Amino acid sequence: FGAYAAAKAGAAALVKVAALELKRKVSFTLVLPKAVASDFWRNVGQPPKDALSPQDVAEAIVASLKGEPREELRVG
């Protein structure tokens, strides 16, 4: 999981910096779901029993887009 954790941290930092640099033009929301039952788990084992479905995450993102912009969206 080391490479995954490093990539996730890098993506989070990129979104935060982009949000600061472009704050007057666009907004960004960093989506932070808990474990998602996806193909990722095929190579590393079984997803946790409480893993979200991709549909659950997509619905949370769509619902968030209907509201006020925010920096982070934690799903699950």
Side-chain angles (χ1 to χ4, degrees), residues 15-60:
V15 168
K16 289 181 181 186
V17 169
L20 289 171
E21 290 179 349
L22 301 170
K23 68 181 171 184
R24 297 194 187 274
K25 298 177 184 175
V26 295
S27 63
F28 293 85
T29 300
L30 179 62
V31 180
L32 299 166
K34 66 179 190 175
V36 178
S38 67
D39 289 343
F40 169 82
W41 295 98
R42 191 177 303 164
N43 296 323
V44 296
Q46 296 294 320
K49 290 183 180 11
D50 63 345
L52 299 169
S53 73
Q55 182 70 26
D56 292 335
V57 178
E59 289 172 3

Side-chain angles (χ1 to χ4, degrees), residues 3-16:
Y4 171 78
K8 192 171 180 177
L14 176 64
V15 168
K16 289 181 181 186

